[in-house]
Amino acid sequence: MSATGTAASAAHASTSASSSEEKVLVLDFGSQTAQLIARRVRDQNVFCQIVRHDLTAERIKALNPKGLILSGGPASVYGEGSPKVDPKIFELGIPVLGICYGMQITCYSLGGRILPAHSREFGRSPCSLLEGAAGNPLFQGIPSTFTAWMSHGDQVELLTGDYESIASTATCPNAAMRHRTLPIYGIQFHPEVTHTEFGGQLLANFVKNICGCKGTWRISSLIEQQKQKIRERVGTDRVICGLSGGVDSSVVAALISEAIGDQLSCIFVDNGLLRKDERRQVEEQFTGHFKTDLHVVDASARFLGELAGVSDPQKKRKIIGKVFIDVFRDEAKSIENAKFLAQGTLYPDVIESGANPDGPAATIKSHHNVGGLPEELGFELIEPLRDLFKDEVRRMGLELGLPETMVWRHPFPGPGLSVRCLGEVTEERLRVLREADAILIEELYAAGLYREIQQAFVVLLPVQTVGVMGDDRTYENVAAIRAVQTEDFMTADWYQFPWDILGKISTRIINSVRGINRVVYDVSSKPPATIEWE
């Protein structure tokens, strides 16, 4: 199956709107940010669904969308096997917005010429509206010059007589175009990423001004749709939820609990890689708040034994995934009538893992909860959050009545502290890391910064440096602090701490945690770095 097919089937399976609901379709050409486009449209309270790029015009008409967005993609329109579109979709009278490759395939399908750019553009570029474009509904409320995020090698060189250029950059004369009489637009830059100034406004203009959407869709609609789907699919069988205590699995548990009540059992595996006091907190929350059937398995010795001597991050993840499956399977055997396994998989997990081996998305990291559960486990997967981003999951959690402390908890990776303990994972190194991380989080709460930062943690480096404490020479570990601000976790900027607070955190870690004598701060953005270090 193609990447677009995978995305389409996932989106259809988990987030379909009723025929009476206004919606916008994203035709996916293999873009890593296709789901981000959908998320930006949902920000306008308009349902958005990702579909295959090669849907026929007849099928699209039957879906009755208010607008079509053609995503970017890694191919060249002239490349062998490059994805194409049914040209008849441009005759339906449905507003169309082509983004990057989507703009190129639009022009190509209608007789335009696409050529390799004289100067390829990757990154931020000043973009200027051409004379008369300021009044265009696509650019309403957007200044005549703004910063756009470019990522292309090809570009539109020649527009047919029905089209006109409405924006340009220094090296891209047709950075945006429109049809003179039909509601068809194209932009060479990416408005869906936060690096493009007024990108959200541009997409809002397309959805509201050009497509005429009123914005009546709410996350509560998705909750009810999901609950109904879960009931219909599960029937009288039992669902097991792989619980971690994080936001994603907590929201999944709450959603399924509302849907099927006591047919849900949760399994929490203590892998020895948890944050300080995490097991106790999970037990208190899920036996008190949810009143759910909670199975706690202490497998910490087994996990740490398998990880002994392993430093490679991918090997760590694979080992943890395998042991997790084994432990989970053994515990699941004690739960009668269990047929389904629920997971809190989000879209960034899927796209970053390159979950579809035939798709264009490169593997950035592996997740033991994405494609890691073998068929012999004997469960059918339920992943109701698979097409959502973290902020949407949090909104869903609040709608479901979860406490804010649970909903706004910073993300924690599936492999736990193993990927924040660089090098070999040992009980002693984990102790040092836990204590330092707990101090960081405590100080963020004390300074009122926890909610301002979307993810913060300590990384223990496999590096020792010389230090002085009192009259003694020390040779101990280096700890790195990582803190980022992000809207979607696909891109992120490092958080600019007030120096006094950063200094306080550093001083407290060095003074309180035996084993650390130096603290450094990570000032890398994503991309090019990832948020986690491994």
Side-chain angles (χ1 to χ4, degrees), residues 1 55 63 113 121 123 127 167 200 225 293 305 307 313 340 362 372 376 413-414 457 461 469 503 513 522:
M1 182 182 286
L55 285 188
L63 291 172
R113 188 170 67 192
E121 285 185 300
C127 184
Q225 291 165 15
D293 177 33
L307 288 169
F340 298 92
E376 61 264 25
F457 52 89
L461 307 186
M469 290 187 177
V513 182
D522 183 348

Side-chain angles (χ1 to χ4, degrees), residues 236-296:
T236 59
D237 291 315
R238 179 165 289 276
V239 176
I240 294 176
C241 180
L243 193 63
S244 70
V247 178
D248 309 330
S249 62
S250 299
V251 172
V252 168
L255 179 65
I256 296 177
S257 179
E258 282 205 4
I260 59 173
D262 59 10
Q263 290 172 248
L264 171 68
S265 293
C266 295
I267 297 178
F268 176 73
V269 176
D270 183 351
N271 57 13
L273 305 168
L274 305 175
R275 289 166 287 194
K276 187 176 180 179
D277 297 329
E278 190 155 23
R279 175 173 168 177
R280 175 185 58 78
Q281 293 168 3
V282 168
E283 289 180 303
E284 289 176 355
Q285 289 171 343
F286 285 89
T287 55
H289 184 83
F290 285 104
K291 306 294 184 184
T292 189
D293 177 33
L294 177 63
H295 299 240
V296 178

Side-chain angles (χ1 to χ4, degrees), residues 12 38 47 71 73 100 107 125 231 264 280 309 334 359 414 464 478 532:
H12 180 73
F47 181 79
S71 83
C100 197
C107 294
S125 182
R231 292 188 195 103
L264 171 68
R280 175 185 58 78
S334 68
Q464 290 184 310
V478 178
E532 296 287 346

Side-chain angles (χ1 to χ4, degrees), residues 329-344:
R329 180 198 292 114
D330 292 343
E331 183 62 26
K333 289 178 181 177
S334 68
I335 302 173
E336 296 183 1
N337 203 32
K339 183 179 178 182
F340 298 92
L341 173 65
Q343 291 189 153

Side-chain angles (χ1 to χ4, degrees), residues 68-91:
L68 303 175
I69 299 178
L70 280 55
S71 83
S76 168
V77 293
Y78 295 114
E80 183 178 351
S82 61
K84 299 297 191 293
V85 68
D86 183 351
K88 293 183 179 179
I89 69 171
F90 303 108
E91 302 172 6

Side-chain angles (χ1 to χ4, degrees), residues 430-451:
L430 289 170
R431 178 198 66 78
V432 172
L433 178 56
R434 278 194 191 96
E435 293 298 326
D437 191 74
I439 288 171
L440 169 64
I441 300 306
E442 286 174 11
E443 291 297 332
L444 292 183
Y445 272 114
L449 298 178
Y450 188 80
R451 285 278 296 274

